[in-house]
Amino acid sequence: MKICSLDDLSKIRNDRRSLNSRINGRSIEDRIEILVGLATCGISSGAKETQLAFENEIKEKNFKNISVIPVGCIGNCYSEPTVQINVPGQSPVIYGRVHVQDVPEIIEKHIRDGIPVDRLALTNPVDNKQMRIALRHCGLINPEDIFEYLACDGYEALGCAVTQMSPEFIIDEVKKSGLRGRGGGGFPTGVKWEITRAQPGERKYIICNADEGDPGAFMDRSILEGDPHCVLEAMAIGGYALGADQGIIYIRAEYPLAVSRLNTAISQARKLGLLGPNIFGSNFNFDIRIKYGAGAFVCGEETALINSCEGKRGEPNFKPPYPAQKGYWGYPTCVNNVETFANIAPIITKGSSWFASIGTEKSKGTKVFALAGKINNVGLAEVPMGITLRELIYEIGGGIRDGHKFKAIQTGGPSGGVISEEYLDTPIDYDNLIEIGSMMGSGGMIVMDETDNMVNIAKFYLEFSMDESCGRCTPCRIGTKRMYEIINKITSGKGTMADLNSLKQLTYMVRDSSLCGLGQSAPNPVISTMKHFMSEYLAFIPDPRAKLKFNVNKHSRKSKKAD
Amino acid sequence: MLEPKEADDHKEIIPIKINDQNITVPVGITILEAAHQIGIRIPTLCHLDLHDIKMVNKTSSCRVCMVELSKGNNRNDLVPACVTPVTRDMEIRTDTLRAIRARRMAVELLLSNHPNECFTCPKNLECELQALAAELGVRQIRWEGERMDYPKDVSSDAIVKDANKCIYCRRCETMCNEVQTCGILSGIGRGFDSFVGPAFNIPMAESSCTYCGQCVQVCPTAALTEVNHTDKVWEALNDPDKHVVVQTAPAIRAALGELFNMEAGTLVTGKMVTALKRMDFDAVFDTNFGADITVMEEATELIYRMNNEKRLPMLTSCCPAWVKFIEHQFPELLDVPSTCKSPHIMFGTIAKTYYAEKNEIDPDNIVVVSVMPCIAKKAEAKRPELTKDEHNNVDIVITTRELGAMIKEAGIEFAELPESDFDSPMGMASGAAAIFGNTGGVIEAVIRTACEWITGDPLDNVEFDQLRGANGLRKAAIKVGNKELRIGIASGLGNARQLLEQIRDGKEDYDAIEIMACPGGCVAGGGQPYHHGNYEIVRKRQEAIYQEDKNKQLRKAHENIEVLKLYKEYLGEPYGEFAQDLLHTHFEERERI
Ligand SMILES: Cc1cc2nc3c(=O)[nH]c(=O)nc-3n(C[C@H](O)[C@H](O)[C@H](O)COP(=O)(O)O)c2cc1C
């Protein structure tokens, strides 16, 4: 069976209409649904066993009207395995830490008697502040069943795009929506598409960047594991808009589950004609293949990614030329992040003004954050841009763990900086975070409390960048190493004031002179901790008299970016 | 990294500002080039623009050319001048404290990971990093720390690789991959541990390296150098039992003077001979004599192959790097090269047979030293099949640079030397032999002889302009009697590859082909004085070589009376049984790694 028109699509959707209601939190007619979160996080906490226990229990007790449905990650990583129970006519209940031994109790009390098991129910107010666009289907549909995706308006946007919209119109919509790249740079997606479209070239490529090398970040993985079709659909829309008939997903080989779900999704989409020649009966052809990365952080940088795709050494090139001008094998190439793609279909179906109504003036829509560190609710949260760090940490994240005090939060992973308490009420968007010396990055957020030493934190991130440097340019290859050596000397109590000074000079030089974003941002954790927590550096310096003479401000220079 | 320069005509002209000077420049040139136009020097290290051979190293990895780009809002960027194209109304400052500091710190960082052994380094005073440190006024290295610590790769007979001195400019990699298309050298490891070497860091000797030495020619430091054999020469010279014979390749005389501050392109044949005599060589001969023999053999072989419907085209086989290249890369074409040994090996063979017999010297006591513009010749001399009667054809090979160093060591004021002539008999040579040093020269020399032999008429104009030129890949048709000889010429192994692919795929028909591994020919060899990116020097050497030919009365190899005497007295017929036995060799299929 092939889907050759929007009519075909709506027929299929009507057949499965009932599914759509699951998205709205209601179950189908008289069926009870048990949704088990089977993303990597769930599986590693035993969700497979939980799923099996439910199935066995149901068989044993001979229930007829219950389905157990594997879904992606709901986002409550602190309480895996998570299970959502939808009973018709009742609001859904989400349980956390559901292990095999808990299954009979849930079946008996909740399913049979209709009384939720309070002891396991998750009661956090997450959902009032969260707003799910990119994660709209995660944890709600079976990612390995394309019909579930179709049932909730899947591929509608692609169908409309290729049959009713011109590429220029789509680009204009994406531009007007204000969507900016979620891979870290925040470049306006519509503009990138427009530039790529405008380039001369007999062939063009669209690449999905699923390298996600940022330690502590896993939003892209969750999307791919929970809703792979939304990325495929968006890539096809992008391909149509900018004139590419080939898409590549560059994904790290350490994401085997995401890879297998993507492969399943691609072959299902091909079977239905949603990828391949003449999509929706139009003359637009598009197909997608997967390239595996070996998990080097720097391969997430777009030019390094392209080199890696071509089988070359995964190291970045100088830009210009940008990939949009000269990318994969020299052809104009558009590289977008997974989460960026996840926003595309809703923009097409709901319109740019809907999307642009969410967020701040310069950063529209939502952002998925991966909350980690000393915070109660470790996990994923998708929130509108403009929410404050305080809301994110205390309301969604549930505050600091074990009654400790907040000290700082690192955003943007190893490329970002630490943000101290005084900035907690800053509305989060691309520009504000840069303004306060950090960056959005891919959306990793790591919370630190008063037991954390900030110099050690800086050292940790610096070590990561040093190890992940491709080595191409001098500042990153040797500069990060020397910075690390100095900071190591300081934390081992052997540092001097001169070391602090030379560390500082190095941070500026490495930031200003490095070839790619890795080197340019590698000093950020050091720069920001020196700015906000200099006393912790000084505490490591053995000579107290020197400290008195040291004037922190004396050494800061007017220069680019953070300081 | 490789991008041929486009023609600058009809390019838009745009205004920019550098250090308060308003200028107009064609769009698309780099900041470095623009600054150069108004006499502003921006230091560079990894940058190398050899547009003559279409190589530009665009890695922009050293970050030594950082300049400040005005953003008009106090948040100026530092950008690398060597790869950043100018755009309309760009405002650049090369002289701000921030830019100067960043540049100096880049050099300091490089030095902090570089062995402190300038005194004993083979590149002392030739090192671009050393020169840069001086230029930028580096007086201390503030960041001492761990340094790279890799063992030297001395596996090969030709090239020494010292990864600890690698500053990761990747010039060698660009040369090896994009110009020579050998793909031996590339970045290995990551982060602080990165350096350039063969895949999996296997020893050079186990790789498919041709030892062309172009990587050595462009390496700014001593990460890649030739194996030094000067001590062996001194030892031989000081051994009373040894009769030490030296021969100098055609390209030496056109470049040696550069090592003594003489103008590039100065011919120093006579001074060179005097210097060698003062160094106490027992006989100072000319590889050009061997080249004349080579012409005798190759011209005969060509005519034989043409007349007997044997395999054509015939490829010249003088260049050992190119021979090793075809053995690794095109083993299916091993029947196309001429079986001739290269000129200096032929010379060595004759020295240990004919010359030894005539002068009643035990060949075991003869040491043949070749002075070559080439690093591959060092490895060639060690090839097992190139030994005759248990001794080497050639015992020691030194490069032009090594000879220069020895002359200095010997305390000889080279520039002041009087001139003298090569010794007899193996010092006599034709102009045809002289041009062996240039691309196209070998085939031109062979054609001069083949022409007369085929037509039986004397050749009046011996200069074949069709065979000369700067293009790395050339084609020519030469009328010989009622025949037309189709000639192909390639210099640079990337061009050679194209030519070989044409032959393999049967796309072009040629009768004879000359290939030289080094772009421009032997004058630009890996063992020549460093050109440091200035290919003008190579062009001057080429002119000098053609001048050497013009200066000669004798311009055809088959008119060299000493060579003719050699055949008459000893070898018999060119390409005859004995000549083949002594002067020809064979090639072997080699692995491709
Ligand atoms: C060191 C480094 C690592 C990066 N890693 C990623 C990554 O893992 N995923 C990603 O989408 N973008 C990453 N980027 C950003 C990409 O270069 C590129 O900007 C992005 O994929 C563009 O997509 P977007 O416009 O949709 O954000 C990285 C950049 C740098 C400098």
Side-chain angles (χ1 to χ4, degrees), chain B residues 424-552:
Chain B
S424 207
M426 294 167 70
M428 174 174 266
S430 72
I435 59 174
F436 265 52
N438 278 351
T439 168
V442 173
I443 204 70
E444 183 172 336
V446 171
I447 297 289
R448 285 181 191 177
T449 293
C451 231
E452 283 200 1
W453 284 353
I454 291 171
T455 61
D457 299 328
L459 181 70
D460 294 330
N461 183 7
V462 295
E463 292 181 14
F464 288 86
D465 284 334
Q466 313 95 295
L467 301 175
R468 303 181 177 187
N471 204 334
L473 194 54
R474 309 193 292 283
K475 247 167 52 172
I478 306 272
K479 235 179 148 50
V480 180
N482 52 8
K483 258 201 155 131
E484 193 153 81
L485 282 185
R486 293 150 305 172
I487 310 289
I489 296 166
S491 78
L493 290 172
N495 293 323
R497 181 182 292 280
Q498 284 187 38
L499 214 47
L500 289 171
E501 282 169 355
Q502 287 174 6
I503 297 169
R504 184 192 59 199
D505 304 340
K507 287 203 178 122
E508 292 263 6
D509 282 328
Y510 294 102
D511 297 301
I513 285 179
E514 177 207 284
I515 293 181
M516 295 188 184
C518 295
C522 308
V523 282
Q528 291 280 63
Y530 294 109
H531 55 64
H532 293 295
N534 182 0
Y535 240 66
E536 184 63 32
I537 292 175
V538 172
R539 249 174 287 141
K540 289 198 172 139
R541 291 177 194 160
Q542 284 175 334
E543 284 161 23
I545 291 263
Y546 284 126
Q547 193 53 49
E548 176 86 342
D549 172 33
K550 273 205 170 76
N551 292 348
K552 293 260 183 184

Side-chain angles (χ1 to χ4, degrees), chain A residues 129-136 177-183 219 223 337 339-340 342-344 346-347 354-360 363-369 381-387 428-430 440 442-443:
Chain A
K129 294 263 162 148
Q130 287 209 44
M131 178 172 193
R132 291 176 163 239
I133 298 175
L135 299 178
R136 60 194 179 279
S177 75
L179 175 64
R180 293 170 67 175
R182 303 296 193 234
M219 28 287 144
I223 293 172
N337 167 260
E339 190 187 331
T340 312
N343 282 292
I344 294 295
I347 291 175
W354 161 77
F355 192 83
S357 70
I358 307 160
T360 65
S363 302
K364 299 299 185 190
T366 57
K367 177 79 194 87
V368 184
F369 291 104
E382 181 170 359
V383 292
M385 297 277 191
I387 193 173
I428 303 170
D429 73 5
Y430 289 101
M440 182 83 84
S442 52

Side-chain angles (χ1 to χ4, degrees), chain B residues 22-70:
Chain B
N22 288 303
I23 56 168
T24 54
V25 292
V27 73
I29 70 169
T30 62
I31 294 177
L32 183 71
E33 289 163 326
H36 200 80
Q37 288 185 8
I38 50 170
I40 293 174
R41 188 179 153 78
I42 300 171
T44 57
L45 183 56
C46 67
H47 176 71
L48 183 70
D49 184 348
L50 301 178
H51 48 266
D52 289 40
I53 61 166
K54 299 194 175 72
M55 168 182 160
V56 186
N57 191 42
K58 288 189 170 181
T59 46
S60 72
S61 61
C62 71
R63 318 307 274 185
V64 165
C65 64
M66 302 305 282
V67 296
E68 200 162 335
L69 197 63
S70 172

Side-chain angles (χ1 to χ4, degrees), chain B residues 331-353:
Chain B
E332 68 276 23
L333 292 181
L334 281 180
D335 56 341
V336 295
S338 153
T339 52
C340 285
K341 290 179 180 174
S342 72
H344 86 119
I345 300 288
M346 284 198 186
F347 176 99
T349 311
I350 298 301
K352 295 207 176 164
T353 51

Side-chain angles (χ1 to χ4, degrees), chain A residues 205-207 235 244-249 286-290:
Chain A
Y205 290 92
I206 186 162
I207 296 183
M235 286 179 74
D245 58 9
Q246 287 185 59
I248 300 168
I249 299 176
F286 189 78
D287 211 341
I288 293 176
R289 67 208 145 93
I290 296 184

